[in-house]
Amino acid sequence: MDRECARLLPPVCAVLANTRQLISDDTCLEKLLDWFKVLTEAESSLLLLQENPCLTELITCVLKLEDPSTTIVSFILRLTGIFAASESCFQHLQQGEFLSSLFGEEGPINSSLWEDASVRSGWVEGVRSMVRHQSAIQFLCSSGAIDVIFTLQGDPSLFVASAVSRLLVHILTFSLQSETTSPLSTKDCSWPMCARMIITHIEESLKSSSVSHIKQALKLLTSVFGCCHDRWTEVLWSWIAEPIESLLKEEPGQTGHSLVDLFLSMARSPVFGCPECSLWTSVTHALKYLNPAQAGPLALGVLKCQECPQAVRIQALNVLLQPMDCVLRSASQPLECPGLLGESVKDSAVVENLLSSKPSCAGLLCQTLAHLEELLCMTSLPVEVPHIPLLQSVMITLQFCNGLATPVSCLGSRMSRILIGCFRVQRSALDLLGALSQCASDVAFKESVFDTLLKYLEGPDSSPTVLKKSFQATFKWILCLCDPPSFSNHWQQTEQVLQRLFLALQKRMCSPCWEVRDSALEFLTLLVKHLREWDRFRQVLFSSEVPGLTEDLLQDPESYVRASAVAAMGQLSFIIHLVPKIPALDDGSNKEEDIVTELHKILSTDSEGFPRRAVIRVFTDWLREGHVEVLKDTEQFVSRAIQAVNGDLDWEVKVSGLELAQVFSAQTLSQLGLAGCPYSAVLSSATRSTRLNESLQIFQRVKLFEFLFGALCDCDRPVAQKACEILLALKAQLYDDSLTDRLGPGGLPAEVHSLTQLETTVRRWMSQAQSNPSGDGNGARSHEPHSVLLVLGTVDLEGLRAALDKSSDHIEKSPQSLLQDILATVGTLEENEADCY
Amino acid sequence: MKLYCLSGHPTLPCNVLKFKSTTIMLDCGLDMTSALNFLPLPLVQSPRLSKLPGWVLKDGNTFLDKELKDCSGHVFVDSVPEFCLPETELLDLSTVDVILISNYHCMMALPYITECTGFTGTVYATEPTVQIGRLLMEELVNSIERVPKAQSASLWKNKEVQRLLPAPLKDAVEVSTWRRCYTMPEVNSALSKIQLVGYSQKIELFGAVQVTPLSSGYALGSSNWIIQSHYEKVSYVSGSSLLTTHPQPMDQASLKNSDVLILTGLTQIPTANPDGMVGEFCNNLAMTVRSGGNVLVPCYPSGVIYDLLECLYQYIDSAGLSNVPFYFISPVANSSLEFSQIFAEWLCHNKQTKVYLPEPPFPHAELIQTNKLKHYPSIHGDFSNDFKQPCVVFTGHPSLRFGDVVHFMELWGKSSLNTIIFTEPDFSYLDALAPYQPLAMKCVYCPIDTRLNFIQVSKLLKEVQPLHVVCPEQYTQPPPTQSHRTDLMIDCQPPPMSYRRAEVLTLPFKRRYEKIEIMPELADSLVPLEIKPGISLATVSAMLHTKDNKHVLQLPPKPAQPPASKKRKRVSDDLPECKPLKPLLSGAIPVDQFVQALEKHGFSDVKVEDTAKGHIVLLQEAETLIQIEEDSTHIICDNDETLRVKLRDLVLKFLQKF
């Protein structure tokens, strides 16, 4: 603890001990505890207590108070716990009888203070901090605190209950880790007493008839198996496996979710990795006995588990496929499709019951669809998924939702009534349909998939969120339709789909709902980005009205839509020049030029940030990818863009503008062979200094450094950080120490460390550059391209970066500031109190 | 209680309810789909339509070629369009006491009923219903009368001839009842019989029943009706909507506890959600106009058009359509737009509050002010000077057989740049377009029907819980084209009773009670006797006086005095004499005690047998049987009157008298 803090601490303790001086902001107390935690980890707790007697006095004082505030009692409990974590300090506190007065029976446990949840929570937290050595464990066992902890498991306050659960896990794992050396066996007397007490308690809870007790025990076990992967956990499992098995076989309705959590936590532990482990027998039973809604998450969890035996995986997959199988059979004849499951797993009465009841149908389907999607998105599938019947089933689900499926069974009729217009199921089914695109290669199916998707895109009743999902799924399927072999072999089919798709898109782009216009444009942007190389795709696109409408949407009243239109135009403009002009419609104007002008106009005049940000991102993409219009005169293009960005008040526009500058500078340096990359081609044989000179001239013409230095002084931290990063990179490429000697100081200070100094330096440099455009007198040197190198050399960019990386409140976070704050708040409170009288 | 079903069209109902002593007609909708069988009436001489070939029978017989024309492969009647009237033969319509109108679309047959059947009763409707109904009728009469056609075709209606015709004429039903449109004097006379009512106003019909209109949320002034007596309640739900559009919201609470709920006028397009359709309408409109085409919207002059204009008001700026003119052409366009702004009390809450600001409740006022929306009585006159393309035209009639729309179909039909958007659900758009084929213009079907769909009906029925539901048969099965959609039918318990045209239903509930008032003097004279705790009875001797379906119990006339003189009896003496009444008995006979009493009175051989209904007490020696049942006691003895009287008195001892 530094001296200043040591000086401030006694008055702070006095304030805390004074019942009349209430601390209004208890976050101060939390911060104080955090500080003590850091302190006790760094130096000796005992020494700290001895050197700061005010702390012990504070505890004594609070213990003596007749009616202390619950906040302070809770604080003292936690503070004492932090100090008692060190064994020596624990002894010291025990000698002073602080521990028994606070955590024993004489403490708050038996007073009215215990009714307050914050006191109970403080007690639990204190105990948890304390349990770092055997003395603490012994203290708990002997003082009867363990029983208090068991009682608190069912505390009405959720904070307390969950803290107790964490505490028990901690005590159990700590006592076993620290005490045992030899392997344990079930009911072995070698189990430490404390651990035995806890496990017996768990066992009793599991066998009790109270659902809440069972749940508490299961939750506790879940945490134990989740955080501790020692061998003794295996013995623990054999101890409790039996009551858990009997829980499964009874009615696991209310405890189902907790059981699933337990099994998943165990399945993830390496201790139970072996396929012969009895855990998998229990998982098999759970998959069989739990209701499908509860078994779903377990099935997905075990499928993700690498160690899971194959038989359990197949059973888990069947659990996930069963609802989809019911859907499939409800609207298709058995001859048409074989079904998703083998004959052996046909007992689907429970699933059918859930699917035919309104409250559970949509929930079960959504969950199943989401699980299957997650499964399909895994990099390597652990089991073989029957893609085609699954695809059929998803399509039937989607058709049920828009009334196009014809049910062939009672369940089908029931489901069709429940699912009509159900957006939740539509969204999940569309996600899964999208995921299935990677696996389907059957062209016959693609046709019906597109038919279903286009029905959603065309349907007037599709909600904006459903439409968005439809666009996403369509995009994935289009990509697979446009795979090179498929694209040329089935061009006619692809063309028809694209034509119908663009018609639907066109309509959506005119939608009164801005979300729909926005999703349509986002979809178009993605489509063009991925398919713009295909000549036939371009032909269909440009024979539709989509490009024209996109241009119109640049004027949309909604700024998000304008931004998306900008992005879409950015992509379209890459290919406009590739489309043969129709003589009748050709008015002689250059379309690409018009787009550039239009986007520049948006960048400089649009009142909202989103479209401006979109423009600058498009410009950066153009620059990166070598857009025709950019290549015509890159310098002018960049100069115009960064000038517009320079005057912008939106920091995100500025950061995007800086990215453009970064790309430009990297490209320039690389073209001139100045880039750091060893493989960059040097095109000319000119010397380094000539090339350096040339690059600096280019940057000067574009006014790159004015822009970068301006941004460096920007009051928005991300802007300054980005500028600093770019300047550092440029400095590394361009600056050479010998230059300082050659150019002299140029009226600049020798070193610039602070932001204020930096601003002065940069302003001076800029004003010199502006006032002497002709290059005479003193200014001549400033105006010289090299003068900027002087500034680069002078400014301590590394130091600036370090300063900028720190968060803005780093000064206010110090412990002195915290202690001062506490004292200051009390002062204000007193004043206010005086005012009141 | 009977229901006579005069119309087969579920959304244009016409039913007659006989309830107590009243005969009430519920709506008189006019089925205008018959007009689709006729050739359009062009406003400007159309060379195409005037040169159509006559239709020739398969055997070459040409006797129908003047009446029937072949147009684009379909056969049409070349005559003034005719409409299918409600059934007039099922009952004598002159006996109808009142007609209750639920909305302006359901009163279009009113002149036929009030002017041609000897009807002498009263019609009840709300003010907006009458005013807008008048506009619709005026537009209809005007559209047909402005294109005079001398010819009236009747040969084809002969049953023998009709059999030979191609579909759909062959299958047209009730052609003999089809009539030409009424005239303006008939409209005026019919409307003069209407008495205006307000929501929740209680109207007494002859003291027998009370009728009350309730807001139905579908259109300006649209109502559902409650017809109730003291102990029975019938609700008539016709054309209701739960959507938040311009009219006052639907009053559902008052429909609760109905014995019978007659449900008509549900949405005609249950699969089309109005919100989605409005979006579709806007999308297609914008797409057409952007590519330089014109948009034609065939519509009625009131109703959905207000909502469409409101949507467009919000949409046109965002879609960049601010410079596109919107034209509303109808002989009643001006009145319709202005009427809508003055019926503040009939509007939804939002629009009502605007009136107090004060602002016009509908934004079409602003569209008119800014010259974005222009309205004209017809295509002749000012319109031809102002007409600019591309534009959007709203005009009637949605059947495309008469009205200004016919002209635009001829004008714009040939260009694929133009689009016709159907928003009214009353006519099949394919049938409407049949005489204009081949058609190059794009055609979009966005039917906007805000009336209840089946999900809403199911919620409504759960909420109001009527004992019985009566509805057109179309609502009790899925639509023929989508037989798997079992969600598109009414699902309630008990299943609804269905009706079809020309059917008479006996409604499934019997009247059991009638309210009778007791005069205070008579009530004073009653001496109630408590039979069971909380239940007291008193016998009443009184005279029932019935007048105007109200029943009153009055004091009985005094017993006749012996004539004091031999003067002629006065009139009052004619009243029936009242005999002194025997007391009424109540209570149960305790068999054990009765047997004891018998034994006490010397009957020694008493034997008791239990029967299903009570007991039989047998006096063997006296050969006598006493049959004691819950509501009767019989003493059967062999002509021994003394014994009978003795036994009777014994029985009576155990019963209470009052």
Side-chain angles (χ1 to χ4, degrees), chain A residues 402-407 413 416-417 420 458 460-461 506-512 517 545 549 552-553 556-557, chain B residues 271-273 275-280 282-284 286-287 290-291 315 317-319 482 484-487 489 491:
Chain A
N402 63 2
L404 292 175
T406 316
S413 315
S416 77
R417 301 186 67 144
I420 287 247
E458 289 159 357
D461 291 336
Q506 211 165 299
K507 208 168 74 179
R508 296 299 174 193
M509 287 166 82
C510 294
S511 166
R517 299 199 295 275
E545 287 169 36
L549 280 171
D552 288 349
L553 288 176
D556 198 276
Chain B
T271 48
N273 164 20
D275 280 338
M277 286 298 144
V278 170
E280 199 77 353
C282 292
N283 291 348
N284 286 295
M287 264 160 51
R290 276 188 175 151
S291 50
Y315 177 66
D317 288 332
S318 72
Q482 288 166 300
H484 67 281
R485 293 288 299 266
T486 49
D487 57 316
M489 55 188 268
D491 177 24

